[in-house]
Amino acid sequence: DDITLRHTEGPYRLGTVVFHREDGRRNIVDGQQRTLTLMLITHALANTRLRGKPDARAEAIVHTPALHDMLETLAAGLPEPHFQSTVSQTHIRENYQIIRRRVARPEFSEAIIAFLYRQCEVVWFELDDISEAFQFFDSQNARGRDIEPHDLLKAFHLREFPPEEDHLKAASVHQWEASESDALSLLFAEHLYRIRNWSRGEAARHFGKADIALFKGVSIRPGRRHPHIEALLLAHHCVDAHHPQREDGSRLAPPFPFQLTQTVINGRRFFEMVAHYQARIAQLPQALREHAREGFAPRILDVLESYPGRRRRGDRFTRALFDNLLIAYLDKFGPDAVSRAVEKAFIWAYRLRLTKGSVQLAGMDNHAREHNLFRRLHEALVPAEFLNVEFDSIQAREVSGIEPITDLFRDMDYLERHD
């Protein structure tokens, strides 16, 4: 997929290979899977794309003479590894069949083949001492500070800048690095990741490297564009047209119409989106105090900042439900009817705290998905479609430190009555 998606770009790094040099041979210490996969691709291309090969199809032949000759030379020089494990043999056979089907398709063009062999790179290290080689492998894979998911997103989106925006990279990096790594980690793990996933009905417990695709979107680079991104591109270009660059190459803060659940525009807009939501989330307490002045909303905000048990782990999980739902509400509808939204978010989130003796991460996540107001909010076109949801009364458990929460539920008539 990387090779197919990136073939219109410049050099692309496939990863690292570590060798131990012994008696004129290079033994692979790290990078066996990467190396074997490249061998399987070359073998499959030779069997499907060269004339005279048994699997060749007329539409799949490589016509460019230099590329044809290079592929023949590479295929002829492939080693023939042997694997004693029948499990390995089975997996290699299965992977080869998958690769063969992919590279035989006409859309796996000669341009993609040329990109693979002429533009893709590996970084390789060669060491003489076997213990040093494995120590190097260990340090590469298990030691030092692990790369944070947001660091990987930074690297990805810097690569996604189109050439005409290269001069804007420095400003994006400066703004990103002005934030503490812990603050960025918190922003993604506790807010952006959870809101986006819960809005889709997906689990959102731990944000890790496997989840970063959630923040990879569509490219504004020239090339094939599907209709669903046209509206985003129109907004992108319209915003830039009304906010020209300063003399130093930076831009005025763009009023891009970001939405928490929107498709991400790769590159510069990603960095702007992160800065936008950093500011919006930091301003949440002030925004609520300013606009949520009716009904029970002011009292709810006071109680949540003062009740005795608010700093316990389970109470923090409950508060995360409350805060994130209001972040999503303000993002979609602004201050319109926000007092009612505060009441609704409070009853929805804190019914979990009042009905459970202990609130864990899994309980928070399950509550968000089983009683999913994030999805309802995502699908709502006007506030009433979200605010008109009704909740049953509950029977509260005896939990110390939450008495002011219980009192609020009673006064708002959400505790079961026996009259």
Side-chain angles (χ1 to χ4, degrees):
D1 288 339
D2 284 353
I3 293 166
T4 303
L5 292 172
R6 299 201 173 270
H7 75 278
T8 59
E9 303 176 14
Y12 181 67
R13 183 166 294 168
L14 295 175
T16 303
V17 179
V18 179
F19 293 109
H20 168 233
R21 186 172 50 239
E22 183 182 37
D23 298 331
R25 296 162 57 94
R26 290 191 181 98
N27 302 316
I28 302 174
V29 176
D30 186 22
Q32 290 95 334
Q33 294 180 23
R34 186 172 298 112
T35 303
L36 185 56
T37 300
L38 290 170
M39 290 169 62
L40 291 176
I41 293 173
T42 302
H43 190 62
L45 282 169
N47 283 343
T48 60
R49 306 301 291 268
L50 296 180
R51 289 188 189 277
K53 293 294 180 179
D55 295 338
R57 302 185 305 175
E59 71 271 24
I61 292 172
V62 174
H63 295 284
T64 306
L67 188 59
H68 183 282
D69 293 346
M70 179 183 67
L71 189 55
E72 276 201 328
T73 301
L74 286 169
L78 279 178
E80 296 184 4
H82 299 279
F83 298 88
Q84 294 183 352
S85 167
T86 56
V87 174
S88 293
Q89 293 170 11
T90 299
H91 288 323
I92 289 167
R93 203 173 294 117
E94 291 171 348
N95 288 336
Y96 173 74
Q97 293 300 328
I98 293 169
I99 291 169
R100 187 184 63 81
R101 286 192 291 268
R102 290 284 292 274
V103 303
R105 296 181 63 84
E107 57 262 35
F108 200 90
S109 64
E110 292 188 28
I112 294 176
I113 299 172
F115 171 74
L116 169 63
Y117 292 114
R118 293 173 177 162
Q119 296 289 311
C120 290
E121 305 171 343
V122 296
V123 175
W124 61 278
F125 298 87
E126 186 174 308
L127 299 101
D128 293 313
D129 184 89
I130 187 63
S131 61
E132 288 182 1
F134 278 100
Q135 183 182 30
F136 186 87
F137 166 76
D138 181 59
S139 66
Q140 285 283 101
N141 290 276
R143 297 182 63 179
R145 186 178 72 86
D146 196 17
I147 296 176
E148 296 283 353
H150 61 265
D151 291 328
L152 296 174
L153 285 169
K154 170 191 170 185
F156 171 82
H157 285 284
L158 283 175
R159 292 197 303 267
E160 288 292 306
F161 273 69
E164 64 271 18
E165 292 189 358
D166 275 350
H167 63 290
L168 298 175
K169 281 185 178 180
S172 295
V173 172
H174 176 76
Q175 188 175 37
W176 177 278
E177 294 187 348
S179 300
E180 295 289 338
S181 181
D182 289 346
L184 287 169
S185 180
L186 189 71
L187 173 71
F188 279 95
E190 297 199 3
H191 299 297
L192 302 183
Y193 167 65
R194 286 176 177 169
I195 293 171
R196 286 177 76 88
N197 257 18
W198 285 337
S199 296
R200 303 188 311 166
E202 302 288 340
R205 300 185 185 182
H206 299 286
F207 180 57
K209 296 175 186 176
D211 303 301
I212 65 173
L214 192 65
F215 298 98
K216 295 180 181 180
V218 295
S219 175
I220 60 172
R221 292 172 179 268
R224 184 175 63 180
R225 291 173 176 170
H226 296 117
H228 77 95
I229 72 171
E230 291 300 324
L232 281 173
L233 294 178
L234 181 62
H236 169 77
H237 292 300
C238 285
V239 167
D240 280 356
H242 288 87
H243 291 272
Q245 298 173 17
R246 295 191 181 103
E247 291 182 1
D248 63 0
S250 63
R251 291 181 181 271
L252 299 171
F256 191 88
F258 290 114
Q259 285 287 285
L260 282 162
T261 56
Q262 75 172 75
T263 300
V264 174
I265 299 178
N266 294 340
R268 170 167 55 97
R269 293 295 183 205
F270 166 79
F271 292 99
E272 292 174 356
M273 182 190 76
V274 171
H276 172 78
Y277 284 112
Q278 273 187 305
R280 292 291 292 271
I281 292 170
Q283 295 162 3
L284 178 66
Q286 178 184 343
L288 292 177
R289 289 291 183 184
E290 181 178 349
H291 298 291
R293 297 180 175 181
E294 300 174 357
F296 285 95
R299 181 178 165 191
I300 289 170
L301 297 177
D302 286 340
V303 165
L304 294 185
E305 292 299 323
S306 61
Y307 78 95
R310 66 189 182 279
R311 292 190 176 89
R312 295 178 301 201
R313 192 163 181 259
D315 292 76
R316 293 200 304 270
F317 285 140
T318 310
R319 181 64 185 265
L321 288 169
F322 175 83
D323 285 347
N324 280 328
L325 189 58
L326 288 173
I327 289 166
Y329 181 89
L330 288 167
D331 184 62
K332 184 153 191 175
F333 293 123
D336 191 8
V338 73
S339 293
R340 286 185 61 198
V342 168
E343 293 178 4
K344 197 67 61 174
F346 172 73
I347 295 299
W348 172 76
Y350 279 85
R351 65 197 295 110
L352 173 67
R353 172 70 279 185
L354 266 64
T355 57
K356 302 291 183 183
S358 174
V359 177
Q360 303 296 330
L361 175 63
M364 175 193 71
D365 185 56
N366 291 337
H367 183 80
R369 290 182 291 137
E370 291 170 5
H371 311 277
N372 201 332
L373 286 195
F374 287 92
R375 174 172 279 180
R376 187 182 182 101
L377 177 62
H378 175 62
E379 295 171 352
L381 298 179
V382 293
E385 293 179 4
F386 168 76
L387 296 172
N388 288 343
V389 63
E390 292 294 339
F391 302 111
D392 295 331
S393 297
I394 64 168
Q395 186 171 352
R397 297 174 65 101
E398 292 292 334
V399 179
S400 64
I402 62 170
E403 292 81 7
I405 303 292
T406 307
D407 291 342
L408 264 170
F409 265 70
R410 181 180 297 106
D411 293 346
M412 295 173 73
D413 203 16
Y414 280 97
L415 284 187
E416 287 187 0
R417 298 173 61 176
H418 302 285
D419 50 21

